[in-house]
Amino acid sequence: TSVSNINHDFFIIAHRGASTYAPEHTIPSYELAKEQGADYLEIDLQMTADGELVAMHDEKVDRTTNGKGFVRSYTLHELKQLDAGSWFNQQYPKQAKREYIDLKVPTLEDILKHFGDSVNYYIETKNPIKGEYMEEKLLALLEKYELLQKGNKVIIQSFSENSLRKIHRLNKSIPLIQLMKYNHPATVSEEQISHWKAYARGIGPNYQMIDETYVKKLRDHNLWVHPYTVNHKKHMKRLINWGVTGVFTNYSDRGVEVKQGKVE
Ligand code: G3P
Ligand code: MG
């Protein structure tokens, strides 16, 4: 299917950075996503034992570093001793854009310092140990780097409604995305939509479980719809034609091509 010209915002969200080609949630992964033209860098946040916010998807360091155990049992100093890139060279030698050596797990502050306002941020609060702390710390960092004054430069997402509602109480200007994991074909009621509209700008569902009706209902209420994780162009095109307003993808390069209307 070709893509009718996209007559609405359509964000390419680099899922954990350019995570097909570089170790996820590292500076090179984010740099490559920016180069590929992604609209947003997705950053999953975990917290260290000493309360620092770091970019990591899993609660444990085992899959993406040479370490073992929970992120929350490491101090930042200890975490910074780990190698966060070699695993990728071994596991994905063909996909890797280059050999990744001496990569560290970045803190959110490392990332904000590195990119400043040259990119847009799509930040996920993962289940923090001390709920209150993650959100306040996150907002304080975004304030410090003056990223909250400019439109949709920062979007915050979470599977946790509590986390999003806490942020909404602290700062009503940040667009919030309620992530949803459906284990059955998704349907949505009017009351569900008004429940979400009290705090959320949009919904992030798993793309395999939604259909055109679901998307149109949310779009009729002007909610953004950002399905994850969409890696094939044909799925991107189908979802765009349903009216989704962005996708999380491990292939920002493909997403940009689809967005530019380049047919296969
Ligand atoms: O945040 C969107 C998507 O990344 C949610 O799934 O498990 O990849 O963080 P996960
Ligand atoms: Mg995520």
Side-chain angles (χ1 to χ4, degrees):
T1 45
S2 72
V3 178
S4 53
N5 62 321
I6 302 170
N7 52 13
H8 51 70
D9 268 348
F10 182 73
F11 299 149
I12 302 297
I13 308 157
H15 183 242
R16 310 183 197 168
S19 49
T20 298
Y21 305 103
E24 65 184 62
H25 291 319
T26 61
I27 297 293
S29 177
Y30 297 136
E31 281 175 338
L32 182 55
K34 177 182 174 186
E35 258 168 63
Q36 290 180 337
D39 297 300
Y40 283 87
L41 303 185
E42 192 219 11
I43 303 169
D44 292 317
L45 289 183
Q46 301 285 346
M47 194 154 56
T48 62
D50 46 349
E52 293 299 330
L53 299 181
V54 295
M56 185 162 293
H57 172 268
D58 299 4
E59 289 192 329
K60 291 186 162 184
V61 300
D62 302 45
R63 179 174 63 88
T64 56
T65 75
N66 60 346
K68 296 242 166 304
F70 285 96
V71 175
R72 57 174 168 258
S73 60
Y74 281 79
T75 63
L76 180 60
H77 177 72
E78 290 161 343
L79 195 67
K80 284 287 186 183
Q81 311 312 307
L82 301 182
D83 173 340
S86 304
W87 68 279
F88 192 83
N89 304 320
Q90 285 134 27
Q91 201 157 341
Y92 302 107
K94 290 192 184 47
Q95 289 169 196
K97 272 282 190 274
R98 61 176 170 84
E99 193 180 8
Y100 296 100
I101 48 174
D102 296 339
L103 290 193
K104 300 296 174 195
V105 174
T107 62
L108 176 61
E109 183 147 28
D110 292 335
I111 299 163
L112 300 182
K113 255 190 209 138
H114 184 87
F115 291 103
D117 67 0
S118 73
V119 297
N120 298 319
Y121 301 94
Y122 206 118
I123 299 171
E124 182 178 349
T125 60
K126 290 282 185 186
N127 34 7
I129 349 172
K130 311 172 205 104
E132 292 301 318
Y133 200 65
M134 162 89 82
E135 287 75 13
E136 273 88 356
K137 184 119 192 179
L138 168 55
L139 290 176
L141 275 171
L142 295 170
E143 284 289 350
K144 178 177 175 184
Y145 288 88
E146 297 176 0
L147 291 164
L148 294 181
Q149 285 74 24
K150 302 160 195 159
N152 298 330
K153 184 152 266 319
V154 175
I155 296 175
I156 297 177
Q157 54 166 336
S158 189
F159 282 104
S160 160
E161 176 171 334
N162 288 338
S163 178
L164 294 178
R165 283 185 178 277
K166 198 179 305 160
I167 291 166
H168 194 243
R169 282 197 299 277
L170 295 168
N171 182 318
K172 299 244 180 313
S173 72
I174 303 171
L176 304 177
I177 298 291
Q178 177 64 61
L179 295 173
M180 296 298 290
K181 201 183 285 292
Y182 292 105
N183 44 29
H184 50 75
T187 55
V188 63
S189 63
E190 293 300 315
E191 56 265 44
Q192 177 65 72
I193 285 175
S194 50
H195 176 85
W196 280 329
K197 285 190 72 115
Y199 65 96
R201 182 68 186 79
I203 305 302
N206 46 334
Y207 85 95
Q208 303 95 325
M209 304 307 270
I210 61 173
D211 62 7
E212 186 167 11
T213 307
Y214 177 93
V215 175
K216 291 219 179 303
K217 264 189 182 175
L218 294 181
R219 292 298 300 131
D220 286 351
H221 291 269
N222 192 28
L223 282 166
W224 285 339
V225 184
H226 296 162
Y228 66 87
T229 302
V230 188
N231 292 325
H232 297 288
K233 288 188 182 180
K234 63 178 186 308
H235 296 150
M236 293 177 185
K237 291 175 187 172
R238 184 186 66 199
L239 288 159
I240 290 173
N241 287 334
W242 288 353
V244 304
T245 52
V247 288
F248 291 89
T249 180
N250 298 334
Y251 291 85
S252 298
D253 46 353
R254 293 179 183 171
V256 167
E257 283 170 19
V258 167
K259 184 170 172 177
Q260 288 165 349
K262 283 185 197 139
V263 189
E264 211 80 280

